[in-house]
Amino acid sequence: MTMVYDALILPFIEFAFMQRALAGAIMLSLSACPVGVFLTLRRMSLTGDAMAHAILPGAAAGFLFYGLEIVPMTIGGLIVGILVALGAGAVARLTVQKEDASMAAFYLISLSLGVLMVSLRGSSVDLMHVLFGTVLALNNDALILIALVSLLTLGMLGIFWRALVAECMDPLFLRSVSRLGSPVHFIFLGLVVTNLVAGFQALGTLLAVGLMILPAAAARFWTQQVAVMCFLAIAIGLVSSVGGLLLSYHVSLPSGPSIMLSAGVFYLVSVVASPRGLLLSRLPRAVHRAA
C-alpha cells in the first residue's frame, strides 16, 4: 500500500510543480476534450492539427518582443489563429480550392514562419519550449489563462449545445430552420483556437491538439451518444494526463509526449477492444458464418 501511495499520490503532494501541472492538465481536459469530440464528429481533426501549427507565428511574435511571457504569446497566438481560420475559409469560399487544401497551405506557411521567428532571437531550448511546451513549468499566470479558457468553453458549450450537435449531424438542416448555423460554426472555430492557445502553454504548438483529438477519437469507439462521448473523452483525458505526468516524473521523460503517449494507449486499446473496435465489431459476423 505504501508503494502505491509513493508511486501515485506522493509526487502530487510533495512537489508544487506537479500540483500545477496536474491542475493545468485537468482544466485542459475539461475544455479541450469536448471540443475534440465535435472536431471528430465534424471530420475536422486534421483542421485542428493545422490550426495548432497556425498559431505558432503569433506566439513567436510575442516571444520576439517580450520573451517567454504568457500574455504577449497568448494574444499573438489568438490573433494569428483567428486570421488563419478566416483566411483559409475565405480562400475556400472565393476560389476553386477546397478548405482542407487551403488550411494545409496556411499551416505549412505558418509553421515555417514561426520556427524562423523563434530562431531569430531564441536558442534551440526556446524553440523546443514553444514547439513542445513545458507542462511541469506552468506558472500561476498560465493556470489562470487555462482556467478562463476552460470556463469560457464549458459555458459556450452549455449555451450552444443543441446547435453544435445539430450542425455536426446535419448542418444544412440547421441553417434552414435556424439563424444560428453560420454563427455557431465560427463560435466553434473560436473555441478551437482559444483551447489550442491555452494548450500550447503546457503542451506546445505541436502537441496541443493531441489532448483535443486522441481522447475524443478513443471515446467515439465506445458510444454513439454525443453527451456520453464528451464525458468519456474528458475521463480519458484526465487519466492520460495523470498517467503521463507520473510516467514523466518516475522515468524522467518529457511530460507533454508522455501525456500524449498515455492517451495514445487508450486510443489503441479502443481501436482493438471496444464494442465498435476491430475485434468485437467483427465477432457476430464470425459467429454467424460459423453457424
Side-chain angles (χ1 to χ4, degrees), residues 1-269:
M1 193 70 179
T2 303
M3 292 180 61
V4 174
Y5 175 83
D6 291 342
L8 302 182
I9 300 176
L10 186 61
F12 296 112
I13 295 178
E14 191 171 9
F15 299 103
F17 69 89
M18 289 291 286
Q19 295 171 7
R20 288 193 294 269
L22 180 62
I26 288 174
M27 290 186 290
L28 283 174
S29 298
L30 289 173
S31 61
C33 291
V35 173
V37 168
F38 286 103
L39 268 177
T40 57
L41 290 176
R42 291 163 174 251
R43 299 180 181 179
M44 292 175 61
S45 301
L46 292 179
T47 300
D49 184 51
M51 290 301 303
H53 297 80
I55 67 175
L56 181 55
F63 170 78
L64 276 178
F65 291 103
Y66 298 96
L68 294 172
E69 293 290 333
I70 182 171
V71 175
M73 293 178 70
T74 298
I75 294 174
L78 277 173
I79 293 173
V80 174
I82 292 171
L83 288 177
V84 167
L86 294 175
V91 170
R93 293 189 179 212
L94 300 177
T95 70
V96 297
Q97 194 167 63
K98 300 294 184 182
E99 189 170 6
D100 59 338
S102 62
M103 185 65 74
F106 275 89
Y107 139 64
L108 292 169
I109 295 169
S110 297
L111 179 60
S112 303
L113 180 60
V115 171
L116 287 177
M117 291 172 69
V118 175
S119 301
L120 286 176
R121 174 178 171 180
S123 63
S124 58
V125 174
D126 295 322
L127 181 60
M128 293 293 287
H129 172 86
V130 174
L131 292 178
F132 296 103
T134 50
V135 67
L136 294 180
L138 288 176
N139 55 27
N140 291 334
D141 291 338
L143 289 179
I144 291 172
L145 169 67
I146 295 172
L148 291 174
V149 170
S150 298
L151 290 174
L152 172 67
T153 301
L154 293 176
M156 297 301 282
L157 288 177
I159 294 172
F160 295 103
W161 176 265
R162 291 186 177 181
L164 286 167
V165 174
E167 195 189 22
C168 287
M169 304 307 173
D170 194 342
L172 294 178
F173 172 76
L174 177 63
R175 291 174 187 176
S176 66
V177 300
S178 173
R179 295 180 179 179
L180 289 176
S182 294
V184 162
H185 179 71
F186 287 105
I187 288 171
F188 175 71
L189 288 179
L191 292 179
V192 173
V193 172
T194 53
N195 276 274
L196 289 173
V197 170
F200 96 80
Q201 302 294 338
L203 301 169
T205 56
L206 294 185
L207 296 178
V209 73
L211 195 60
M212 194 177 286
I213 297 300
L214 282 173
R220 196 173 182 186
F221 281 101
W222 296 92
T223 180
Q224 292 181 310
Q225 299 182 26
V226 179
V228 177
M229 204 179 297
C230 288
F231 284 114
L232 185 56
I234 290 172
I236 293 173
L238 292 173
V239 175
S240 300
S241 297
V242 173
L245 289 173
L246 290 172
L247 181 64
S248 172
Y249 174 81
H250 290 296
V251 193
S252 299
L253 296 174
S255 52
S258 297
I259 293 173
M260 292 304 100
L261 286 176
S262 299
V265 169
F266 276 100
Y267 174 75
L268 293 176
V269 170

